[in-house]
Amino acid sequence: MKQYSRLCRTWFGLVLGLVFFLPFTALAATDHTLTTIFAYNNYASGNMFNITVQSKDPVMITAFDVNLSRFLTTQTGIYIYYRDGGYEGFETDPSQWTLVDFSYVTPVGINQPTHIPIDGLVLLSGHTYGFYLTISDHDTNPIRMYYTQGSGEYEDENLLISCGVGTGWPMFSSAFDSRIWNGTVYYTPYTEVPQTGDVLGRYLWLYIAAAALSVGTLLLLAIKWYTRRVYKSK
């Protein structure tokens, strides 16, 4: 009887674990990355560049790496803006840009990737988006955004990064042609990011089976408890 009781408890715990934790594993998605270069020969406050979605499905941008100088342990704020249609012609028009995120980072040094996570930003297939990454405190902070003079395109099967211009201070005040953004884009193909409803639907059979097994387990435990009481009363 003890072995039977132990088996029931183990089975019940396994069922609960599957019900509560397996669906969350489906929400995990692996980041893809696309890097330009980290080989500076110039610097200013920021960069503008384009990202074109070449895949047939949307992608979700999850983070960037940038090339920042380091000054002791000083932090700097980073603004990230974007616009559908590319940056060209809108370098000095803030009304045409949407703020994606703002965060403080501690730079790790020149030609080293300083990581900037963002809330997921979905980009649609076939669209070209302009991005503007800039430090927030050029006038009071010695940290700068480092880039490379020239132009270039960097692509994989999903994205194309077209570089770009450097930007001065104040924000949206000036742009310097032919500047390659030094950085990395972290992204996930949107087909790999199931929505909560999709996950629940996909594992509906598991919930039904787990519920049935759990009820059966509880019934067996109740029968065992009742049988033990009957034996004790005799």
Side-chain angles (χ1 to χ4, degrees):
M1 293 295 284
K2 289 185 178 179
Q3 291 179 345
Y4 177 76
S5 178
R6 188 180 303 112
L7 179 62
C8 287
R9 289 197 299 269
T10 301
W11 178 252
F12 192 62
L14 177 61
V15 169
L16 287 178
L18 288 173
V19 168
F20 286 105
F21 294 108
L22 183 58
F24 289 102
T25 65
L27 291 172
T30 303
D31 269 338
H32 298 237
T33 61
L34 178 57
T35 301
T36 59
I37 56 176
F38 281 86
Y40 92 96
N41 59 21
N42 207 339
Y43 63 87
S45 297
N47 282 104
M48 290 183 182
F49 54 91
N50 287 335
I51 296 179
T52 300
V53 181
Q54 302 187 126
S55 60
K56 63 181 179 63
D57 297 307
V59 301
M60 177 181 289
I61 306 297
T62 58
F64 293 94
D65 287 340
V66 293
N67 194 353
L68 298 174
S69 57
R70 180 181 180 183
F71 182 74
L72 301 176
T73 58
T74 302
Q75 288 191 321
T76 187
I78 300 292
Y79 283 109
I80 301 175
Y81 291 87
Y82 89 116
R83 68 175 310 276
D84 193 352
Y87 72 83
E88 295 93 338
F90 302 95
E91 294 90 336
T92 58
D93 187 356
S95 67
Q96 298 299 309
W97 293 82
T98 299
L99 179 64
V100 176
D101 213 333
F102 172 81
S103 60
Y104 282 99
V105 298
T106 301
V108 298
I110 298 172
N111 288 340
Q112 301 297 319
T114 296
H115 195 64
I116 309 171
I118 66 170
D119 292 334
L121 174 66
V122 176
L123 307 183
L124 300 178
S125 174
H127 286 234
T128 295
Y129 297 86
F131 279 83
Y132 177 27
L133 279 64
T134 181
I135 60 176
S136 65
D137 47 5
H138 179 104
D139 52 342
T140 60
N141 196 323
I143 294 172
R144 297 291 180 264
M145 183 90 68
Y146 281 71
Y147 50 66
T148 307
Q149 292 186 196
S151 58
E153 293 186 337
Y154 306 85
E155 64 181 317
D156 61 16
E157 67 276 15
N158 297 308
L159 299 182
L160 169 68
I161 302 176
S162 303
C163 305
V165 299
T167 58
W169 186 263
M171 294 166 53
F172 296 106
S173 64
S174 57
F176 316 119
D177 290 336
S178 300
R179 302 292 192 270
I180 300 174
W181 172 64
N182 285 196
T184 298
V185 178
Y186 293 76
Y187 71 93
T188 301
Y190 204 56
T191 52
E192 297 180 14
V193 187
Q195 303 304 297
T196 303
D198 297 334
V199 173
L200 294 178
R202 183 184 307 173
Y203 289 97
L204 181 60
W205 64 270
L206 174 62
Y207 283 102
I208 295 174
L213 291 171
S214 299
V215 170
T217 303
L218 290 174
L219 285 175
L220 289 174
L221 290 174
I223 292 171
K224 177 177 178 282
W225 173 83
Y226 177 76
T227 303
R228 180 179 294 176
R229 291 202 60 181
V230 169
Y231 279 131
K232 283 184 177 181
S233 65
K234 290 183 178 181

